Each structure stands twice: as C-alpha cells, then as structure tokens.
Amino acid sequence: MTHLHLPDGAAARDGYRCRIDPESAGWTHTSLRILDLAPGGSHTLETGDSEWILLPLSGAAEVVCEGARLLLHGRPDVFSAVSDFAYLPRDATARVDSAGGGRFALCGARCTSKLPLRYGPASGVPVEIRGAGRAARQVNNFASAEAFEADRLIAVEVLTPAGNWSSYPPHKHDQDRAGVESRLEEIYWFAIGEGPCGSARSGEGKCEGMGYHRVYPSGAGGPSDVLAEVRTGDAVLVPDGWHGPSMAAPGYPMYYLNVMAGPSAERRWLICDDPAHAWVRGTWPDEPADPRLPLYTAPSPEGTR
C-alpha cells in the first residue's frame, strides 16, 4: 500500500511542506502539518474541530492565540535539544511568527472538548530511554498521555542512534480492548542525521542519510503493508497493523515524530507486541546500555529562559 509512505513533498499543499488530515489519510482523527517559515515569516491557522500542538523542529517562534502571546525558544534541530511547545485549542485562530525562520510541526487530533491555550516548557518534557543494546532509543514524551493533558492527541519524539532499531518489538494498536489495547491512528514523520561522504570527509559538506520502516498486517485491523526507505521529510501512515522496526542505518541517527489519536473512550497508549517477537523485550535486562544515550536531556527549570 504505497500511499501509506509519503516521500518528502508528496503531501505538500496549502502552504505546508506536508499536510496530512483525516480526509487525506482516510481515517477519522489524526493530523500532521509541517510548516516551513522563512526569516520574518508568518502563518495563520484556524484550528477548527481539532486540538493542535505547535512543536518547533528547528528555529524559534511566537504564537498569538485567544488574546495571549507565547514565545517558543525552540532549538537548532531535533538532534540537539528538547523543545518547548504550544497547545492550541479547537475553535480558535492562531498566528505563528518566526523572526529567524524555521521548521515547525503541527500535531492535531479531532476532539470534542475545548481545553485552554497552554505553554509546554522544555524543562517539563520527560526523557525516557527505552529498550537496550541495539534496540535502545530515546523517547521525548512531550505530549504522552501521562505527561501532558489533551482531549485526544498523543505525540512523542523518538531518537534512534545510528545502527539501532526502534519501534521494536513490532507492536499494534488497531483494536479497542479495554485495559489491553487502544485503537489509535498513527503518523510517523522522519528526519535522518547527515554524515560525511565523498569529499565531505575533508569537511566540505554532508551526505543525506536514510533509514527503513516496516508495517505489516496484524490480521485484526486491516491490510496495511509497508517496507519503505525513509529520508528526512518522509511520513508513514499507520491505520492498522504491526509496525516496527524503524531501522537507523549505520552512520545515520534517526528521528521520528509520532502523532496519534483515535476513537477509544480513554486517552491511553495501550499496545500489543507481535507474539512472534515479544520475547525480545525479556532480553533487555541482560543487554548493555547504549553509551550514546541519552543524546541530550531536558534542561533544568533553572536553565530555561
């Protein structure tokens, strides 16, 4: 199902580098928009029937919404720091201004409740090391169900060191089973670290990296089947099925933004591992820690601006 893999630019429209809405995805709740702003650029968003989180991927921004002004300090890039963010309520108008320019993610979910506009400080983002050995990765839980209040939206960032696998063991969340599994539509948006290549080894430039991502049918929720080479700016839609691993090629660290929402009554990330590979989780206590992790940590409250 090649339409589930959207290479960089394939979903560009309406001024967004990537725009994925429930209508274009063929599902009911989850949205993602990637916004590039030139220095001095501005963008206005009507939130409509969805709640949104504005997350700087690179650069800083100022957000004006519901009579309030929020300053997002942002970060140089996703591989160097945790970012602060802004929660934008449904049925509102928000303007985003960026003096220096940058790239920004708008993570969205259709919702029923209107929660207030809020600022999420970088210092409040829980940073988790998940897995071990070559399955070790870093998770920035900026909008996980446990870390941040929202009506439907769940969003996290995952950083996988070069040569490691993440989203592993493969897992699914395509059925609504109380206390066991929640039904969630999910978007992966990727950025791949650069490395030296050719004459770049002498410091003249960088080489674009790549990674790989897998989705396959679970037998319960639908026929989704993807094996994709992914590069910076690519997105993969996961309406159903086992998903994982996400594989970072040697030499190229991998980042992905996960955006999820669904119809389950309770906002929870409940997953089931593929029984064929679930045993891998039991080996982690005996695996060594990856000394490269964490790639970075959230700043202390005293270090915020």
Coordinates of all heavy atoms in Angstrom, one line a residue, residues 75-128:
R75 N 14.7 25.2 19.1 CA 16.0 24.5 19.2 C 16.7 24.6 17.8 O 16.0 24.9 16.8 CB 15.8 23.1 19.5 CG 14.8 22.4 18.6 CD 14.4 21.0 19.1 NE 13.2 20.5 18.5 CZ 12.7 19.3 18.8 NH1 13.2 18.5 19.7 NH2 11.6 18.9 18.2
P76 N 18.0 24.4 17.7 CA 18.6 24.4 16.4 C 18.1 23.3 15.5 O 18.0 23.5 14.3 CB 20.1 24.2 16.8 CG 20.2 24.6 18.2 CD 18.9 24.2 18.8
D77 N 17.9 22.1 16.0 CA 17.4 20.9 15.2 C 17.0 19.8 16.2 O 17.2 19.9 17.4 CB 18.5 20.4 14.3 CG 19.8 20.0 15.0 OD1 19.7 18.9 15.6 OD2 20.8 20.7 14.9
V78 N 16.4 18.8 15.7 CA 15.8 17.8 16.5 C 16.8 16.9 17.1 O 16.5 16.1 18.1 CB 14.8 16.9 15.7 CG1 13.6 17.7 15.2 CG2 15.5 16.2 14.5
F79 N 18.1 16.9 16.6 CA 19.1 16.0 17.2 C 19.9 16.7 18.3 O 20.8 16.1 18.8 CB 20.1 15.6 16.1 CG 19.4 14.6 15.1 CD1 19.0 15.1 13.8 CD2 19.2 13.3 15.4 CE1 18.4 14.2 12.9 CE2 18.6 12.4 14.5 CZ 18.2 12.9 13.2
S80 N 19.6 17.9 18.6 CA 20.4 18.7 19.6 C 19.8 19.0 20.9 O 20.5 19.3 21.9 CB 21.0 19.9 18.9 OG 19.9 20.8 18.5
A81 N 18.4 19.1 21.0 CA 17.8 19.5 22.2 C 16.3 19.2 22.2 O 15.7 19.0 21.2 CB 17.9 21.1 22.3
V82 N 15.8 19.1 23.4 CA 14.3 19.1 23.6 C 13.8 20.5 23.3 O 14.5 21.5 23.5 CB 14.0 18.7 25.1 CG1 12.5 18.8 25.3 CG2 14.5 17.3 25.4
S83 N 12.6 20.6 22.8 CA 12.0 21.9 22.5 C 10.8 22.1 23.4 O 10.1 21.2 23.9 CB 11.5 21.9 21.1 OG 10.9 23.2 20.8
D84 N 10.5 23.4 23.7 CA 9.2 23.8 24.3 C 8.1 23.7 23.2 O 8.5 23.5 22.0 CB 9.3 25.2 24.9 CG 9.9 26.2 24.0 OD1 10.3 25.9 22.9 OD2 10.0 27.4 24.5
F85 N 6.9 24.0 23.5 CA 5.8 23.8 22.5 C 4.6 24.6 23.0 O 4.5 25.0 24.2 CB 5.5 22.3 22.3 CG 5.1 21.6 23.5 CD1 3.7 21.4 23.9 CD2 6.0 21.0 24.3 CE1 3.3 20.7 25.0 CE2 5.6 20.3 25.5 CZ 4.3 20.2 25.8
A86 N 3.6 24.7 22.1 CA 2.3 25.4 22.5 C 1.2 24.5 22.1 O 1.1 23.9 21.1 CB 2.2 26.7 21.7
Y87 N 0.2 24.4 23.1 CA -1.0 23.7 22.9 C -2.1 24.7 22.4 O -2.3 25.7 23.1 CB -1.5 23.0 24.1 CG -2.9 22.3 24.0 CD1 -3.0 21.0 23.6 CD2 -4.1 23.1 24.3 CE1 -4.3 20.4 23.4 CE2 -5.3 22.5 24.2 CZ -5.4 21.2 23.7 OH -6.6 20.6 23.6
L88 N -2.7 24.4 21.2 CA -3.7 25.3 20.6 C -5.1 24.7 20.7 O -5.3 23.6 20.2 CB -3.3 25.6 19.2 CG -1.9 26.0 18.9 CD1 -1.7 26.2 17.4 CD2 -1.6 27.3 19.6
P89 N -6.1 25.3 21.3 CA -7.4 24.7 21.4 C -8.2 24.7 20.2 O -7.9 25.5 19.2 CB -8.1 25.6 22.5 CG -7.4 27.0 22.3 CD -6.0 26.7 21.9
R90 N -9.2 23.9 20.1 CA -10.1 23.8 19.0 C -10.9 25.1 18.9 O -11.0 25.9 19.9 CB -11.0 22.6 19.0 CG -12.0 22.6 20.2 CD -13.1 21.6 20.0 NE -14.0 22.0 19.0 CZ -14.9 21.2 18.3 NH1 -14.9 19.9 18.6 NH2 -15.7 21.7 17.4
D91 N -11.5 25.4 17.7 CA -12.3 26.6 17.5 C -11.6 27.9 17.9 O -12.1 28.8 18.6 CB -13.6 26.5 18.3 CG -14.4 25.3 18.0 OD1 -14.5 25.0 16.7 OD2 -14.9 24.6 18.9
A92 N -10.4 28.0 17.4 CA -9.5 29.2 17.7 C -8.8 29.6 16.4 O -8.6 28.8 15.5 CB -8.6 28.9 18.8
T93 N -8.2 30.8 16.5 CA -7.3 31.3 15.4 C -6.0 31.5 16.0 O -5.9 32.2 17.1 CB -7.8 32.6 14.8 OG1 -9.1 32.4 14.3 CG2 -6.9 33.1 13.7
A94 N -4.9 31.0 15.4 CA -3.6 31.1 15.9 C -2.7 31.7 14.8 O -2.8 31.3 13.7 CB -3.0 29.8 16.4
R95 N -1.8 32.6 15.2 CA -0.8 33.2 14.3 C 0.5 32.8 14.8 O 0.9 33.0 15.9 CB -1.0 34.7 14.1 CG -0.1 35.2 13.0 CD -0.2 36.7 12.8 NE 0.7 37.4 13.8 CZ 0.3 38.2 14.8 NH1 -1.0 38.5 14.9 NH2 1.2 38.8 15.6
V96 N 1.4 32.3 13.8 CA 2.7 31.9 14.2 C 3.7 32.8 13.4 O 3.6 32.9 12.2 CB 3.0 30.4 13.7 CG1 4.4 30.0 14.1 CG2 1.9 29.5 14.3
D97 N 4.6 33.5 14.2 CA 5.6 34.3 13.6 C 7.0 33.8 13.9 O 7.2 33.4 15.1 CB 5.4 35.8 14.1 CG 4.1 36.4 13.8 OD1 3.6 36.3 12.7 OD2 3.4 36.9 14.8
S98 N 7.9 33.9 13.0 CA 9.3 33.4 13.3 C 10.2 34.4 12.7 O 10.4 34.6 11.5 CB 9.5 32.1 12.7 OG 10.8 31.6 12.9
A99 N 10.9 35.2 13.6 CA 11.9 36.2 13.2 C 13.0 35.6 12.4 O 13.5 36.1 11.4 CB 12.3 37.0 14.4
G100 N 13.5 34.4 12.9 CA 14.7 33.8 12.3 C 14.4 32.7 11.3 O 15.2 32.2 10.7
G101 N 13.1 32.4 11.2 CA 12.7 31.3 10.3 C 12.9 29.9 11.0 O 13.6 29.8 12.0
G102 N 12.3 28.9 10.4 CA 12.5 27.6 10.9 C 11.4 26.6 10.4 O 10.7 26.9 9.5
R103 N 11.4 25.4 10.9 CA 10.5 24.3 10.5 C 9.7 24.0 11.8 O 10.3 23.7 12.9 CB 11.2 23.1 10.0 CG 10.3 21.9 9.7 CD 11.1 20.9 8.9 NE 11.3 21.3 7.5 CZ 11.9 20.6 6.5 NH1 12.3 19.4 6.8 NH2 12.0 21.1 5.3
F104 N 8.4 23.8 11.6 CA 7.5 23.6 12.8 C 6.5 22.5 12.4 O 6.0 22.4 11.3 CB 6.8 24.9 13.1 CG 7.7 26.1 13.3 CD1 8.1 26.9 12.3 CD2 8.3 26.3 14.6 CE1 8.9 27.9 12.5 CE2 9.2 27.3 14.8 CZ 9.5 28.2 13.7
A105 N 6.2 21.6 13.4 CA 5.2 20.6 13.3 C 4.0 21.0 14.0 O 4.0 21.5 15.1 CB 5.8 19.3 13.9
L106 N 2.8 20.8 13.3 CA 1.5 21.0 13.9 C 0.9 19.6 14.0 O 0.5 19.0 13.0 CB 0.7 21.9 13.0 CG 1.0 23.4 13.2 CD1 0.6 24.2 11.9 CD2 0.4 24.0 14.4
C107 N 0.8 19.1 15.3 CA 0.3 17.8 15.5 C -1.2 17.9 16.0 O -1.4 18.7 16.9 CB 1.1 17.1 16.7 SG 2.9 17.2 16.5
G108 N -2.1 17.3 15.3 CA -3.5 17.6 15.5 C -4.4 16.3 15.7 O -4.0 15.2 15.2
A109 N -5.5 16.5 16.4 CA -6.4 15.5 16.6 C -7.8 16.1 16.7 O -8.0 17.0 17.5 CB -6.1 14.7 17.9
R110 N -8.8 15.5 16.0 CA -10.2 15.9 16.2 C -10.6 15.6 17.6 O -10.2 14.6 18.2 CB -11.1 15.1 15.2 CG -11.1 15.7 13.8 CD -12.1 15.1 12.9 NE -12.2 15.8 11.7 CZ -12.4 15.2 10.5 NH1 -12.5 13.9 10.4 NH2 -12.4 15.9 9.4
C111 N -11.3 16.5 18.2 CA -11.7 16.4 19.6 C -13.0 17.0 19.9 O -13.6 17.7 19.1 CB -10.6 17.1 20.5 SG -10.5 18.8 20.3
T112 N -13.5 16.8 21.1 CA -14.8 17.3 21.5 C -14.7 18.4 22.6 O -15.5 19.3 22.6 CB -15.8 16.2 22.0 OG1 -15.1 15.5 23.1 CG2 -16.1 15.2 20.9
S113 N -13.7 18.3 23.4 CA -13.5 19.3 24.5 C -12.6 20.4 24.1 O -11.6 20.2 23.4 CB -12.9 18.6 25.7 OG -13.8 17.6 26.2
K114 N -12.9 21.6 24.5 CA -12.0 22.8 24.2 C -11.2 23.0 25.5 O -11.7 23.6 26.5 CB -12.8 24.0 23.8 CG -11.9 25.2 23.5 CD -12.6 26.3 22.8 CE -11.6 27.5 22.6 NZ -12.2 28.6 21.8
L115 N -10.0 22.6 25.5 CA -9.1 22.9 26.6 C -8.3 24.2 26.4 O -8.3 24.7 25.3 CB -8.1 21.7 26.8 CG -8.7 20.3 27.0 CD1 -7.5 19.3 27.1 CD2 -9.5 20.3 28.2
P116 N -7.8 24.8 27.4 CA -7.2 26.2 27.2 C -5.9 26.1 26.5 O -5.1 25.1 26.5 CB -7.0 26.7 28.7 CG -6.9 25.4 29.5 CD -7.8 24.4 28.8
L117 N -5.5 27.3 25.9 CA -4.2 27.5 25.4 C -3.2 27.3 26.5 O -3.4 27.8 27.6 CB -4.1 28.9 24.8 CG -2.8 29.4 24.3 CD1 -2.4 28.8 23.0 CD2 -2.8 31.0 24.2
R118 N -2.1 26.6 26.2 CA -1.0 26.4 27.2 C 0.3 26.4 26.6 O 0.5 26.1 25.4 CB -1.3 25.0 27.9 CG -2.3 25.1 29.0 CD -2.7 23.7 29.5 NE -3.5 23.1 28.4 CZ -3.5 21.8 28.2 NH1 -2.8 21.0 28.9 NH2 -4.3 21.3 27.3
Y119 N 1.3 26.7 27.4 CA 2.7 26.6 27.0 C 3.3 25.4 27.7 O 3.2 25.1 28.9 CB 3.5 27.9 27.5 CG 5.0 27.8 27.4 CD1 5.6 28.0 26.1 CD2 5.8 27.7 28.5 CE1 7.0 27.9 26.0 CE2 7.2 27.6 28.4 CZ 7.7 27.8 27.1 OH 9.1 27.7 27.0
G120 N 4.1 24.6 26.9 CA 4.8 23.4 27.4 C 6.3 23.7 27.5 O 6.9 23.8 26.4
P121 N 6.9 23.9 28.7 CA 8.3 24.2 28.7 C 9.2 23.0 28.4 O 8.8 21.8 28.7 CB 8.5 24.6 30.2 CG 7.4 23.9 30.9 CD 6.3 23.8 30.0
A122 N 10.3 23.2 27.8 CA 11.2 22.1 27.5 C 11.6 21.4 28.8 O 11.8 20.1 28.8 CB 12.5 22.6 26.8
S123 N 11.8 22.1 29.9 CA 12.2 21.5 31.1 C 11.2 20.5 31.7 O 11.5 19.7 32.6 CB 12.4 22.6 32.2 OG 11.3 23.4 32.4
G124 N 9.9 20.6 31.2 CA 8.9 19.7 31.7 C 8.7 18.4 30.9 O 7.8 17.6 31.1
V125 N 9.5 18.2 29.8 CA 9.4 17.1 28.9 C 10.1 15.9 29.5 O 11.4 15.9 29.7 CB 9.9 17.4 27.5 CG1 9.9 16.2 26.6 CG2 9.2 18.5 26.9
P126 N 9.4 14.8 29.9 CA 10.1 13.6 30.4 C 10.9 12.9 29.2 O 10.3 12.7 28.2 CB 9.0 12.7 30.8 CG 7.8 13.6 31.0 CD 8.0 14.7 29.9
V127 N 12.2 12.7 29.5 CA 13.0 12.0 28.5 C 13.3 10.6 29.0 O 13.8 10.4 30.1 CB 14.4 12.7 28.3 CG1 15.3 12.0 27.4 CG2 14.1 14.1 27.8
E128 N 12.9 9.6 28.2 CA 13.0 8.2 28.6 C 13.9 7.4 27.7 O 14.0 7.7 26.5 CB 11.5 7.6 28.5 CG 11.4 6.1 28.6 CD 10.1 5.6 28.2 OE1 9.2 6.4 27.7 OE2 9.9 4.3 28.3

